[in-house]
Amino acid sequence: MDPAAIHTLVQELFVAEGPVDRPVRIASLVAFQGDRRTLTERDLPRIASALVNAEQQQGQGQQHPAPEQAQTPAQARPELTDALARTLHALGTVDLDDLRAVRLGPEAFARHLAIAAPDADEGLDADDARTHASLREAVCAHILRFLVRRSPFVTAAEDAAFEERYARDIVAAHDHLTIYGIDLAHSPDSWPLDAAYLSLETEADGGGPSAPAEQALAGRERVLLWGVAGSGKTTLVQRLAVSVARGDLPTPLAGLRGRVPFVLPVRRFRRDGFPEPDGFLSAVRHPHTAAQPPGWAERVLSHGRGLLLVDGVDEAPEDERERLREALRELPARYPGNVWLVTSRPSAVRENWLASELASERFTELKLSPLSREGVTAFIRRWHAAARQDITDRADLDRLSGDEETLLDAVRITRDLGRLATNPLMCGLLCALHRDRRGYLPRGRKALYDAALSMLLERRDRERAMLPPEGIDLPQEPKIQLLQKLAHWMLVNGRSEMDRATAVETLGRHLPAIPHAARQGGPEEIYRHLLNRTGLLREPTPGSVDFVHRTFQDYLSARAVVERHDFDFLIDHAHLDDWEEVIRMSVALARPDECGYLLEGLLAARKDARPVHARHRKLLAAACLEHATELDPEVRSRVHRYTRDLVRPTSLEAARALGWIGPIVLEMLPDPSGVSDEEAHRLAVTATSIADDRAIDYLVRLRDRGSWAVRAQLAGAWRRYDTDRYAEEIIGHLDERELDFPVSDLEELRALRRLGGRPCVQIAGALAPDQLAEGLVAERLTELWLAYDLGADLDLSWLAAFPRLHTLRLSHRNTGVTGVPEGVQVIVAGA
């Protein structure tokens, strides 16, 4: 029977009138007694029979019984109807108001009714008594839903109580981060979010100054955030959810206070489509879904109180993303006033993926920037500060401090390390390996992951002479083989999470081929060992398992594919963006002849292939070249030849898309000297998307262009490269006309001063007034843009030191400034 029909039956038990603005005794609401009665007691068996019939039909519909079992218990055993009728009659004597009953919940409320009707089970055998108890609780759940819907007071009170509990659940689930290798004696440790979180930088797609993520998100209702693997997308989602749940928000995000965060990882509902609001919690397997008041999430969104954090669009299969996109357009339009943050890897969605004809419904597109030099330094210092917390030995503390400074120097000086230290994941691994290996660090990505696996899977326990806690002692290689089986299953099935039972079953199938593991335990014991001791697996929700980071899953998948020589399998899926990392890592792991076969397969024409997929394969072949340790020169030449024409982008979107290929694309970009300004701008976009100092050599050939778009693109990329070299070779040569020169840190400010200053300067980093007063050149400055949140530094009287200053631009969050010198025009961005 339809739930609406059950609601109608329950509604019949109660009178329509009565106060709804305060708690009301349930006994005064029943429709079979009192002055306003609409039923008699003789009606209760009829309603009870219909409820028993409806509940049993609903249960059978879920369990798909055989036809011979489909008769209703009401027809088979009328004594159940009589028992439930006596229970319903007790509603007229129960000493509870509607608010208290709702807060008790179905189970406790059913116990109250059982006490109020002690003779209800009279004449029932043990089986029927159990059936009656189950029916009583189910009907009580429907009654409580009716009471919630009936009274706005009960609804509001119940919503508030649940939201308090829900906020605690959000904090408990997300207020921690994994910092790899802090304590090498255990699995990767979980650290409080506040202690471990590093503020991330974002930039608008298409260029412009970077800004802290909290500042960039402030005041925006709809944001699509791009970030590569390991860049911190999920960490930012956690930070926002916990901050809102606690009510402890940084100043730029004060507008989110009072909102209800919904953390919605796409991998949890990737095949079932985007859930409706009342299915949010069940879709992500929230532990207290059943306690959610009926219609609560719908009310939150209808009142514009939600913060919806949709994490990992790239986790959805490519053929399901269109359905996901429609939901992410339709739901914000249906429920205006809520704040939406959607995250994805850049390769998974195109530019303007969530565009709308209405400006009010457009998603602002931002991308997480690679860690700046200051960000890398801050991360390394924070990692070592966390590592010190549990160290008491003075010599160990001194050694750790020495390691910290050595690593900082190595990352600054060594190009290979600098290229690896671009995001929090990679920086964390470098810190852990540097400490674990006493200063020895791998030079490439393959070596980094191999060393990380060695550290996580074997060395931490062995070097402490730790006894196996489960009685299982596996060397590194069997662990890797078993983990590869899980990763390979996820790859083949297009998943980034699997059921626990499937994981155990998968291990069970492969254990006989790995005798060292099979001798030590069954699949369940081996699964627990891998979960508890490798530091690579976790159970994000009861009954499910995934890798602690997608990068490890991709790497182990690649190892499995290469060992199986299944390169045709890779080639067949190379047009899918979520296979990119697996294919690039496979090239790094494969032998020279295998690399050649794989790259030739990417270049080969395929019957019925769409042009966009063919282009994607060729660009992927180019991206793989830097990972091939040894490769037939003829194959390398052929990749260059096939991709040469693809690196003349015809749109800004295509120009930015080339950036993910990496430094290898710099070798293929055309000579910009003879191209139009429009094409030169696109080439500048591509080159500045590659955060490698080798890009400077190419950008030098664009620095003398008169085009404002080219000059602005080059000026805005300063923070991605070595400060002094970029200042000398690029910034110092740019035509100053109508150009804002961005400054993001003190080092850049000093470099700009050494160049003699500039008339128009944009301050994108939070520099102190005394630093700006000293660093800006007073006799040159005419226009100043303070493109960051001033915080408490709202007194701008220090600007009197700049006699030629006539225009001041401010963020809309800095409208309370004082002390602006007379004659200076103030322009507020976005006003």
Side-chain angles (χ1 to χ4, degrees):
M1 183 179 287
D2 191 296
I6 300 177
H7 176 74
T8 300
L9 288 170
V10 169
Q11 190 173 10
E12 195 177 346
L13 291 168
F14 299 94
V15 296
E17 302 173 0
V20 294
D21 59 349
R22 61 182 183 273
V24 181
R25 289 184 67 248
I26 292 174
S28 71
L29 292 175
V30 296
F32 50 82
Q33 64 185 26
D35 298 335
R36 295 169 295 168
R37 73 181 67 186
T38 56
L39 299 175
T40 68
E41 294 183 5
R42 289 192 296 275
D43 290 307
L44 292 181
R46 171 182 59 81
I47 295 174
S49 176
L51 284 170
V52 171
N53 187 35
E55 278 299 322
Q56 290 299 319
Q57 281 184 353
Q58 212 172 30
Q60 288 172 356
Q62 292 169 353
Q63 298 170 17
H64 307 291
E68 65 272 13
Q69 298 172 319
Q71 62 176 337
T72 66
Q75 297 166 330
R77 295 193 299 278
E79 56 269 25
L80 283 176
T81 294
D82 295 336
L84 185 59
R86 289 192 290 269
T87 294
L88 295 178
H89 186 268
L91 289 168
T93 61
V94 69
D95 188 22
L96 287 174
D97 61 46
D98 50 3
L99 176 59
R100 188 179 168 203
V102 168
R103 287 187 169 173
L104 282 175
E107 188 176 345
F109 181 49
R111 286 198 297 268
H112 271 266
L113 282 189
I115 293 170
D119 61 341
D121 286 347
E122 220 172 75
L124 298 181
D125 61 25
D127 286 342
D128 282 348
R130 283 192 293 271
T131 301
H132 175 231
S134 176
L135 285 167
R136 180 170 56 215
E137 186 174 332
V139 170
C140 282
H142 290 296
I143 290 173
L144 297 185
R145 290 192 190 99
F146 165 77
L147 294 175
V148 167
R149 291 172 179 170
R150 173 190 172 276
S151 170
F153 176 84
V154 172
T155 298
E158 182 62 6
D159 283 359
F162 178 75
E163 284 177 23
E164 287 183 16
R165 177 180 187 177
Y166 178 71
R168 293 193 296 270
D169 289 341
I170 287 290
V171 173
H174 299 290
D175 189 27
H176 53 81
L177 286 180
T178 295
I179 304 184
Y180 295 97
I182 289 288
D183 180 353
L184 300 180
H186 303 291
S187 297
D189 280 359
S190 193
W191 289 81
L193 191 62
D194 287 342
Y197 180 73
L198 178 71
S199 182
L200 302 168
E201 295 277 319
T202 64
E203 57 189 74
D205 190 51
S210 63
E214 294 83 356
Q215 181 178 328
L217 296 173
R220 290 183 164 125
E221 284 193 357
R222 301 176 188 183
V223 173
L224 172 59
L225 181 68
W226 294 337
V228 299
S231 60
K233 300 183 295 295
T234 299
T235 300
L236 178 59
V237 163
Q238 289 181 247
R239 174 70 167 183
L240 289 171
V242 169
S243 297
V244 170
R246 281 181 171 160
D248 181 17
L249 290 154
T251 301
L253 296 179
L256 296 180
R257 196 174 306 280
R259 291 191 177 272
V260 178
F262 294 96
V263 181
L264 301 169
V266 172
R267 65 179 179 273
R268 300 279 168 78
F269 51 82
R270 56 197 303 278
R271 291 285 182 189
D272 300 326
F274 201 91
E276 285 294 309
D278 284 342
F280 282 173
L281 300 196
S282 59
V284 300
R285 303 170 202 164
H286 183 77
H288 297 125
T289 300
Q292 174 184 199
W296 166 71
E298 173 88 22
R299 287 189 293 277
V300 169
L301 267 61
S302 296
H303 296 152
R305 297 177 51 233
L307 169 63
L308 294 107
L309 304 165
V310 184
D311 189 27
V313 166
D314 51 281
E315 302 277 9
E318 193 166 15
D319 57 358
E320 293 291 325
R321 286 184 201 148
E322 184 59 30
R323 192 157 58 120
L324 178 59
R325 182 166 75 112
E326 290 306 313
L328 291 173
R329 285 171 161 178
E330 189 269 333
L331 282 172
R334 195 200 317 171
Y335 299 105
N338 297 286
V339 174
W340 292 76
L341 173 66
V342 180
T343 77
S344 176
R345 290 188 185 184
S347 57
V349 296
R350 64 181 184 273
E351 189 178 16
N352 297 320
W353 190 67
L354 291 174
S356 170
E357 294 181 2
L358 297 176
S360 61
E361 295 181 2
R362 290 177 190 152
F363 276 71
T364 299
E365 295 180 350
L366 301 174
K367 56 184 175 183
L368 285 174
S369 307
L371 284 181
S372 63
R373 293 179 302 277
E374 293 71 28
V376 171
T377 297
F379 185 97
I380 291 172
R381 293 210 181 280
R382 183 162 295 193
W383 190 97
H384 285 84
R388 287 188 190 94
Q389 292 186 18
D390 293 327
I391 296 177
T392 57
D393 183 83
R394 182 79 253 169
D396 287 344
L397 285 171
D398 291 343
R399 188 180 304 112
L400 187 62
S401 296
D403 288 345
E404 179 179 350
E405 297 306 319
T406 301
L407 179 58
L408 285 170
D409 289 341
V411 169
R412 291 190 194 105
I413 296 169
T414 308
R415 171 179 287 182
D416 286 342
L417 292 180
R419 288 177 58 194
L420 290 173
T422 57
N423 61 55
L425 173 69
M426 293 299 188
C427 283
L429 289 179
L430 287 174
C431 289
L433 288 166
H434 187 263
R435 181 186 178 195
D436 188 37
R437 295 179 164 225
R438 302 298 176 97
Y440 169 75
L441 283 171
R443 297 178 65 86
R445 191 153 64 157
K446 174 185 179 296
L448 175 67
Y449 288 126
D450 284 340
L453 289 175
S454 175
M455 178 188 72
L456 294 169
L457 299 182
E458 182 173 16
R459 295 182 62 185
R460 61 175 60 205
D461 286 350
R462 188 191 67 211
E463 292 178 5
R464 285 188 79 247
M466 185 173 182
L467 294 175
E470 301 100 353
I472 296 174
D473 184 16
L474 289 179
Q476 177 178 330
E477 194 54 37
K479 289 179 188 174
I480 289 179
Q481 290 296 323
L482 292 166
L483 290 167
Q484 284 178 194
K485 307 306 181 188
L486 302 182
H488 188 261
W489 184 95
M490 293 183 188
L491 178 71
V492 171
N493 289 277
R495 302 281 296 276
S496 57
E497 185 176 291
M498 63 195 302
D499 293 338
R500 187 183 194 277
T502 304
V504 173
E505 179 189 351
T506 301
L507 293 173
R509 286 201 310 271
H510 293 286
L511 270 178
I514 308 174
H516 198 116
R519 286 195 297 268
Q520 299 196 44
E524 182 67 43
E525 291 76 21
I526 296 297
Y527 169 81
R528 284 200 303 270
H529 176 76
L530 295 176
L531 178 70
N532 295 331
R533 300 308 311 156
T534 66
L536 289 175
L537 297 177
R538 63 178 179 178
E539 290 186 341
T541 60
S544 67
V545 62
D546 66 3
F547 284 86
V548 292
H549 199 280
R550 176 67 181 268
T551 300
F552 288 119
Q553 177 189 326
D554 290 343
Y555 185 68
L556 289 165
S557 298
R559 284 183 60 116
V561 170
V562 170
E563 287 184 6
R564 295 161 62 101
H565 304 285
D566 208 350
F567 298 103
D568 289 330
F569 178 58
L570 289 179
I571 294 168
D572 287 343
H573 293 82
H575 62 287
L576 301 175
D577 53 70
D578 52 347
W579 285 63
E580 289 171 5
E581 288 299 310
V582 177
I583 291 172
R584 294 170 77 163
M585 292 180 182
S586 296
V587 169
L589 291 161
R591 294 176 300 187
D593 59 327
E594 295 168 337
C595 283
Y597 182 85
L598 181 51
L599 293 173
E600 295 274 19
L602 294 176
L603 296 176
R606 297 176 67 84
K607 185 179 180 181
D608 300 327
R610 294 168 56 191
V612 66
H613 289 165
R615 178 178 179 275
H616 183 98
R617 290 170 179 276
K618 290 180 173 64
L619 290 176
L620 182 55
C624 288
L625 285 182
E626 68 171 322
H627 303 293
T629 305
E630 181 182 349
L631 183 64
D632 183 342
E634 179 58 31
V635 175
R636 185 180 295 273
S637 175
R638 202 151 37 243
V639 172
H640 279 286
R641 189 165 62 252
Y642 271 83
T643 56
R644 189 177 296 119
D645 291 340
L646 296 176
V647 291
R648 298 194 74 135
T650 57
S651 69
L652 291 179
E653 179 184 2
R656 282 188 285 272
L658 289 176
W660 67 268
I661 294 180
I664 190 68
V665 80
L666 294 169
E667 302 174 19
M668 296 182 283
L669 288 177
D671 183 349
S673 59
V675 304
S676 67
D677 282 346
E678 187 177 0
E679 184 173 0
H681 179 220
R682 294 194 294 269
L683 293 172
V685 168
T686 296
T688 56
S689 297
I690 302 168
D692 187 289
D693 281 349
R694 282 176 284 180
I696 299 176
D697 296 327
Y698 187 83
L699 296 174
V700 162
R701 292 183 277 173
L702 290 162
R703 68 189 184 187
D704 295 325
R705 286 267 175 172
S707 163
W708 179 88
V710 174
R711 291 183 290 125
Q713 185 69 35
L714 267 58
W718 190 1
R719 64 182 298 277
R720 297 177 183 169
Y721 305 102
D722 178 81
T723 300
D724 292 334
R725 184 184 171 200
Y726 199 84
E728 180 181 346
E729 298 191 32
I730 304 294
I731 299 295
H733 295 265
L734 296 178
D735 187 336
E736 301 175 2
R737 290 175 300 162
E738 301 177 347
L739 187 63
D740 287 312
F741 285 82
V743 170
S744 59
D745 57 49
L746 188 57
E747 193 176 350
E748 289 179 359
L749 181 64
R750 289 168 176 163
L752 195 63
R753 184 175 182 84
R754 288 194 296 272
L755 293 174
R758 290 295 184 270
C760 303
V761 179
Q762 177 190 86
I763 307 299
L767 297 174
D770 59 335
Q771 293 172 326
L772 293 173
E774 180 183 351
L776 294 168
V777 178
E779 57 271 21
R780 295 214 61 196
L781 188 68
T782 59
E783 298 183 27
L784 180 63
W785 181 2
L786 299 179
Y788 66 97
D789 190 347
L790 296 175
D793 297 325
L794 296 177
D795 181 4
L796 300 184
S797 56
W798 55 273
L799 292 175
F802 302 94
R804 299 187 60 197
L805 181 67
H806 58 71
T807 302
L808 174 66
R809 296 173 67 186
L810 297 172
S811 160
H812 68 276
R813 289 175 290 275
N814 297 323
T815 53
V817 297
T818 61
V820 177
E822 188 176 349
V824 175
Q825 180 187 11
V826 178
I827 300 174
V828 178

